[in-house]
Amino acid sequence: MDLTKSELNILEILLSEERPLSKSDILACASKNRPWKDSTIHIIINGLLEKGAIEEVGFVRTGKTYGRTFAPTKEGREYFSALFLEMARHVNVNYVFSKLITENAFSKEELDDLEKLIQRYK
């Protein structure tokens, strides 16, 4: 699987939200960083569906009509994880995690889980 930068951004939004999102939900999340048009999102989502990175998981009412909802597939999650691991090989991981922790990027539960994981592998 080879994703474009825009496809990767949409996949990242779906992974970070941890719930199925409609096209309008994705637009709302993306508007913080990228002002995509409705037609652009449609093209990107179709590309992700064709590549097997995301899947249609249901429908949600949006106004007077229904819209599809999307979630990452197992392959999409693995692609993103592999990309992250590849990037981590080229940066100082201690710095990255230190920065994430000091900027409160993790919840207390996530920090507890990370601590347990580290202890298990020591």
Side-chain angles (χ1 to χ4, degrees):
M1 181 183 322
D2 190 27
L3 301 182
T4 66
K5 193 174 186 176
S6 294
E7 290 171 335
L8 192 56
N9 287 337
I10 298 299
L11 181 58
E12 183 179 8
I13 289 169
L14 288 166
L15 287 166
S16 67
E17 288 297 313
E18 297 180 352
R19 64 182 174 89
L21 298 176
S22 67
K23 186 169 58 170
S24 57
D25 293 333
I26 294 169
L27 274 170
C29 292
S31 68
K32 301 170 191 167
N33 301 321
R34 292 188 76 151
W36 278 312
K37 294 180 181 177
D38 189 56
S39 59
T40 304
I41 290 288
H42 182 75
I43 292 167
I44 297 168
I45 287 173
N46 282 339
L48 287 166
L49 287 167
E50 288 175 16
K51 293 176 181 179
I54 66 171
E55 61 187 343
E56 184 180 304
V57 294
F59 293 90
V60 65
R61 188 167 181 107
T62 57
K64 295 181 179 181
T65 62
Y66 287 89
R68 300 180 294 171
T69 58
F70 306 95
T73 60
K74 179 181 176 192
E75 293 81 10
R77 290 178 188 282
E78 288 173 357
Y79 177 85
F80 198 83
S81 296
L83 193 62
F84 181 77
L85 287 174
E86 183 62 30
M87 182 185 69
R89 289 186 180 105
H90 301 288
V91 298
N92 182 335
V93 177
N94 291 339
Y95 173 77
V96 172
F97 274 98
S98 173
K99 193 77 169 157
L100 288 169
I101 289 169
T102 58
E103 292 188 10
N104 297 316
F106 299 110
S107 69
K108 182 181 179 336
E109 294 79 21
E110 289 170 326
L111 287 172
D112 290 342
D113 290 344
L114 282 170
E115 189 172 22
K116 288 175 190 172
L117 184 66
I118 290 168
Q119 290 303 320
R120 187 171 62 208
Y121 284 96
K122 273 190 171 182

